[in-house]
Amino acid sequence: MNKWSREQMAARVAQDIPDGAVVNLGIGLPTLVANQLPRDREVILHSENGVIGMGPAPAEGEEDYDLINAGKQPVTLLPGGCYFHHADSFAMMRGGHLDVCVLGAFQVSASGDLANWHTGAADAIPAVGGAMDLAIGAKKTYVMMEHLTKAGESKLVPDCTYPLTGIGCVSRIYTDLAVIDLAADGARVTAMVDGLSFGELQKLTAVPLINAC
């Protein structure tokens, strides 16, 4: 089965981020979006550890580990970028100053509930970070995740079984198989990887889908 690579997923997300948007890219897959943003589009990247105005990842050998994102990855700073206190960063998130946040997820429900900080397993390490503040504080919350778990189960589910990060906060999901908008009338598929039929996608997904391609 064809799948989008992580870089292709990131490029698909970057394509949908409008010029002038202030955006937070969560830890993991979402950080790849920074390298895919069109150079002729101004997107202001924010990180909850207190950085705004980040650029793409640095070239190998040019990393500065005093300049990192929330995932402790080295980043670059564009002209006009700056650092500030952690509390000010969270005030931006909680105050509704972010246009978009892109987060990873363990599960997303059909109604837009997000579970991305803990699987509930006894040996799992909880990792809340700023996810709860971002999921609720951003004007739009997108999720970037693989469509299936390692066990082959759908990550888009009728109801989340893992502890929730936010309720009804996710409006769009980007997976390695499809782009899916979550709306009042259901889960609308707006794009699919080449070679995958809608019927095949439906069989892999635990909620009813609407073909809007």
Side-chain angles (χ1 to χ4, degrees):
M1 181 172 57
N2 290 338
K3 294 182 180 181
W4 284 319
S5 68
R6 293 185 169 196
E7 288 72 21
Q8 288 172 319
M9 291 168 65
R12 189 63 183 77
V13 177
Q15 173 185 318
D16 292 344
I17 294 176
D19 190 40
V22 181
V23 179
N24 182 286
L25 302 176
I27 294 171
L29 281 177
T31 61
L32 299 175
V33 175
N35 287 349
Q36 302 294 334
L37 292 168
R39 295 293 176 254
D40 61 349
R41 191 181 303 174
E42 182 181 27
V43 175
I44 303 169
L45 296 180
H46 166 277
S47 184
E48 62 259 41
N49 57 315
V51 187
I52 198 164
M54 294 180 296
E60 187 175 351
E62 296 181 7
E63 299 90 346
D64 177 359
Y65 282 91
D66 287 328
L67 177 55
I68 59 173
N69 62 21
K72 300 181 177 63
Q73 296 171 311
V75 295
T76 57
L77 201 65
L78 299 176
C82 62
Y83 323 112
F84 38 87
H85 195 280
H86 206 162
D88 294 323
S89 181
F90 272 72
M92 292 180 190
M93 294 152 57
R94 294 169 179 169
H97 302 290
L98 300 181
D99 296 303
V100 178
C101 72
V102 185
L103 300 173
F106 296 129
Q107 289 178 330
V108 177
S109 78
S111 58
D113 297 343
L114 170 66
N116 81 340
W117 70 278
H118 193 19
T119 62
D123 59 346
I125 301 174
V128 176
M132 292 180 180
D133 303 271
L134 288 166
I136 300 302
K139 294 171 186 173
K140 291 183 179 179
T141 298
Y142 297 158
V143 160
M144 185 178 171
M145 65 182 187
E146 294 177 342
H147 202 89
L148 304 174
T149 67
K150 291 180 180 179
E153 298 175 345
S154 174
K155 289 188 176 184
L156 177 55
V157 294
D159 297 289
C160 294
T161 57
Y162 296 151
L164 292 182
T165 305
I167 297 174
C169 55
V170 179
S171 58
R172 183 174 295 163
I173 303 169
Y174 298 83
T175 80
D176 50 355
L177 300 180
V179 180
I180 303 170
D181 282 343
L182 301 181
D185 60 346
R188 305 177 67 84
V189 180
T190 60
M192 290 184 293
V193 67
D194 290 341
L196 180 68
S197 71
F198 179 76
E200 290 170 327
L201 179 65
Q202 181 63 83
K203 290 178 182 178
L204 297 170
T205 309
V207 304
L209 300 174
I210 300 169
N211 190 352
C213 292

